[in-house]
Amino acid sequence: MKFSIVIPAFNEGALLDESLGKLKQSLDVFLEEKHSYELILCDNNSTDRTAQIAHAHSAQVIFEPENQISKARNKGASIANGDYLIFIDADSFASRVLFKEFLEKISSKNVLGGGALVYMKTNGIVSFMALHLWRCVSRLFRWAPGSFIFCRRDIFEKLGGFSTEYFASEEIDFSKRLKREVRRQKKSKARIVILKNSVHTSDRKLHLYGVGDYLKLVFTYLLKGEEILKKRENLPIWYDGKR
């Protein structure tokens, strides 16, 4: 099989060289198991050296001018030709163990997609509790986190990719639609898998933003619902350019 690793990236020059270096070491697992892969990075209108760094790591680079995570993921997927698409955030990396678990799970042929639990260093009790709450929610509801999402390419295309209505939490919307597709294919015993091993992601936002910034976003979401996720200006944590 062939696997397409798609990385959306907006001004990721500070961390990209390290994350791609670690990722490529882990991707050797595919070659060892007689598979192939392609590495695709979508430069989401970066103003730093993101594209140059990606080229240096032999990644295919495609440009998306509108700064939106879902559009960047979809643009990267548009040039992919793997049997499975694997979306990994630019500040994250997956271990060899995680990829081995992934290969083991999809060997059953009925896995349409899924994700992995997220791990990061935390700098306080609130962030520690929030991380572990999200890990529990991800596993319970089978919601794939944005840091690591995978899907059979034919299913991804059938679902129309990530919704461009959302500027954040597009992975939750995608997971919900993927679950509906699993229910439609219940006769084939189709399923979603949340891998037990974790994808490691950067803790940089815990240093760039205070707990108050996150709580403000949470309370706004509780008051106004998911409509706040459909406007870029409501989501500075993702789009203000701080890195």
Side-chain angles (χ1 to χ4, degrees):
M1 282 195 291
K2 184 173 183 178
F3 300 93
S4 300
I5 291 81
V6 179
I7 301 172
F10 168 55
N11 285 349
E12 294 289 356
L15 296 176
L16 189 60
D17 187 55
E18 180 182 4
S19 64
L20 286 182
K22 289 180 177 179
L23 179 61
K24 288 179 70 178
Q25 290 179 11
S26 299
L27 289 172
D28 284 345
V29 167
F30 291 131
L31 305 180
E32 293 167 5
E33 298 292 331
K34 311 303 181 185
H35 301 297
S36 63
Y37 72 85
E38 60 184 357
L39 186 59
I40 299 168
L41 181 135
C42 180
D43 176 9
N44 197 194
N45 204 27
S46 300
T47 57
D48 65 0
R49 297 184 62 253
T50 290
Q52 294 94 314
I53 294 169
H55 280 301
H57 284 273
S58 303
Q60 299 179 60
V61 177
I62 189 169
F63 184 74
E64 169 52 55
E66 184 172 350
N67 194 204
Q68 185 179 9
I69 300 168
S70 54
K71 284 193 174 182
R73 296 189 198 277
N74 289 342
K75 181 62 76 72
S78 71
I79 62 169
N81 56 25
D83 301 290
Y84 275 86
L85 306 176
I86 306 172
F87 298 90
I88 303 179
D89 280 354
D91 63 345
S92 305
F93 75 94
S95 67
R96 290 171 59 88
V97 173
L98 177 58
F99 280 127
K100 283 184 177 181
E101 183 188 0
F102 163 75
L103 287 173
E104 178 185 337
K105 294 297 184 184
I106 66 167
S107 66
S108 66
K109 307 298 183 184
N110 63 343
V111 174
L112 302 191
L117 298 177
V118 173
Y119 172 80
M120 72 172 73
K121 294 178 181 178
T122 54
N123 60 359
I125 187 65
V126 175
S127 55
F128 175 84
M129 292 175 64
L131 172 63
H132 285 275
L133 175 62
W134 169 237
R135 285 166 62 91
C136 290
V137 168
S138 179
R139 179 176 287 164
L140 177 64
F141 291 101
R142 288 173 298 155
W143 288 349
S147 301
F148 189 97
I149 308 165
F150 65 89
C151 188
R152 249 174 45 192
R153 184 159 64 99
D154 61 324
I155 299 299
F156 183 83
E157 291 172 352
K158 181 177 181 179
L159 296 178
F162 293 96
S163 172
T164 55
E165 284 189 73
Y166 295 88
F167 284 83
S169 295
E170 75 289 343
E171 73 274 22
I172 305 302
D173 170 75
F174 184 80
S175 294
K176 290 176 179 177
R177 289 186 286 121
L178 182 59
K179 286 173 71 174
R180 289 196 289 270
E181 180 62 25
V182 165
R183 288 193 290 271
R184 282 193 288 267
Q185 297 192 24
K186 61 182 179 180
K187 289 184 179 179
S188 65
K189 297 183 179 179
R191 61 194 180 109
I192 296 171
V193 170
I194 301 298
L195 304 174
K196 293 180 180 178
N197 286 286
S198 300
V199 59
H200 290 243
T201 193
S202 167
D203 63 345
R204 64 181 177 186
K205 288 185 179 178
L206 297 179
H207 299 286
L208 289 171
Y209 302 94
V211 173
D213 294 306
Y214 286 95
L215 291 177
K216 180 181 178 182
L217 180 60
V218 170
F219 285 128
T220 304
Y221 176 80
L222 292 174
L223 287 172
K224 298 184 179 181
E226 67 175 23
E227 287 303 311
I228 72 159
L229 302 174
K230 297 179 179 181
K231 292 185 178 180
R232 185 187 293 108
E233 57 268 28
N234 294 332
L235 304 163
I237 291 174
W238 286 270
Y239 292 101
D240 67 1
K242 288 183 182 179
R243 292 291 184 268

